[in-house]
Amino acid sequence: MTTYSSRWLVCDTARPDARIRLVCFPHAGGSAAFYRAWGQSLTEVEVHAVQYPGRADRFDEEPPHDLVRLASDIADALEPLADVPLAFFGHSLGAPIALETARALQSRGIHLAHLFASGSRDAALPDLDGPEEDPDQLLADLVRMGGTDAEMAADPIFQEVVMPYLMADGRMFHSYDMAPEPLLKCPVTTIVGDQDDDADLRPWSALSAMPVREVGVTGNHFYLINDPPYSLLQETLAVPRPE
């Protein structure tokens, strides 16, 4: 198994004997720390979380502005990890980034075992308005969706640190023009909260040549903060051990 480190990827719990690697893509304004506990809980896989530029230990870098270019850069970092099967989990903005990263890897002959699109519903693309540029409204929306609590959102240090890359992520998402092809060559599972009125809408059933299923869970857009879908991931990614 590959021993590997990259500024793009954070692996808090190495599992040298794991037979699959799960790569997790954060939401807008998110960082790799969002998935910090996942590596300890998902004992059958090795979890790697993507660290986008402009936040956490990459705070001194410019936030990304081109989603397809960002995905290509992430694919570069993931190539050395493809000595075992890869699966992707992308939440909200992370779902289209996972899609484009999977496409970039496919063009290099690397195919995923599975793609999980969380906070994303299988539906026609909506007509998007421009990105929200009012910091107060962005923070209010983040609190309403469950992405942070009101006390933290009101913290001036939080606002100073997080708002620039949260707004940059929003601009990147709204400038993203998704091509209908190439089709994914892996199964897709979408995961949507039953109270999620803010889900990303994307025609997943038309984006993959493999089966697509939608799983409903209890909660809002950030259902996974209180109830991560560990059981679903473990069941879907179960890899038979050789006898």
Side-chain angles (χ1 to χ4, degrees):
M1 305 267 300
T2 296
T3 300
Y4 181 69
S5 62
S6 164
R7 72 186 192 281
W8 286 96
L9 301 165
V10 177
C11 179
D12 288 312
T13 306
R15 297 194 185 279
D17 296 327
R19 301 187 66 200
I20 194 164
R21 291 187 171 112
L22 178 67
V23 181
C24 297
F25 295 74
H27 53 279
S31 70
F34 187 73
Y35 297 104
R36 181 168 290 147
W38 285 41
Q40 294 181 356
S41 299
L42 295 169
T43 57
E44 297 299 313
V45 301
E46 183 175 77
V47 176
H48 293 256
V50 177
Q51 190 75 283
Y52 306 140
R55 65 215 71 198
D57 59 344
R58 303 186 68 183
F59 188 75
D60 58 344
E61 300 179 43
E62 182 180 354
H65 56 83
D66 183 323
L67 192 148
V68 175
R69 172 60 186 274
L70 171 64
S72 178
D73 290 341
I74 296 169
D76 289 342
L78 285 172
E79 268 200 77
L81 297 181
D83 57 329
V84 296
L86 298 175
F88 285 179
F89 180 97
H91 181 66
S92 196
L93 171 67
I97 298 175
L99 165 67
E100 294 296 346
T101 306
R103 286 173 162 179
L105 287 177
Q106 278 187 185
S107 71
R108 309 173 196 195
I110 300 169
H111 303 291
L112 295 188
H114 207 97
L115 189 150
F116 298 90
S118 170
S120 184
R121 191 183 301 280
D122 185 10
L125 285 172
D127 294 325
L128 292 177
D129 297 326
E132 178 60 67
E133 296 287 356
D134 180 355
D136 291 337
Q137 185 59 52
L138 268 175
L139 283 172
D141 288 343
L142 190 63
V143 171
R144 175 181 56 79
M145 290 188 288
T148 191
D149 59 52
E151 183 178 356
M152 180 173 290
D155 186 333
I157 296 177
F158 175 87
Q159 295 180 19
E160 180 181 358
V161 171
V162 173
M163 287 309 301
Y165 61 80
L166 175 60
M167 296 181 73
D169 287 351
R171 295 186 195 107
M172 177 178 68
F173 174 75
H174 283 82
S175 66
Y176 168 52
D177 184 14
M178 187 194 74
E181 295 182 335
L183 297 183
L184 294 174
K185 297 180 180 179
C186 67
V188 175
T189 297
T190 65
I191 310 171
V192 186
D194 60 1
Q195 302 167 48
D196 186 358
D197 297 323
D198 301 283
D200 170 59
L201 302 181
R202 204 154 300 277
W204 291 103
S205 57
L207 295 175
S208 178
M210 299 288 283
V212 174
R213 66 168 175 159
E214 185 158 291
V215 175
V217 296
T218 301
N220 60 16
H221 192 58
F222 283 94
Y223 73 90
L224 69 173
I225 291 178
N226 293 323
D227 191 14
Y230 294 148
S231 295
L232 172 63
L233 294 171
Q234 289 169 329
E235 292 167 6
T236 306
L237 298 177
V239 179
R241 296 279 181 176
E243 296 183 0

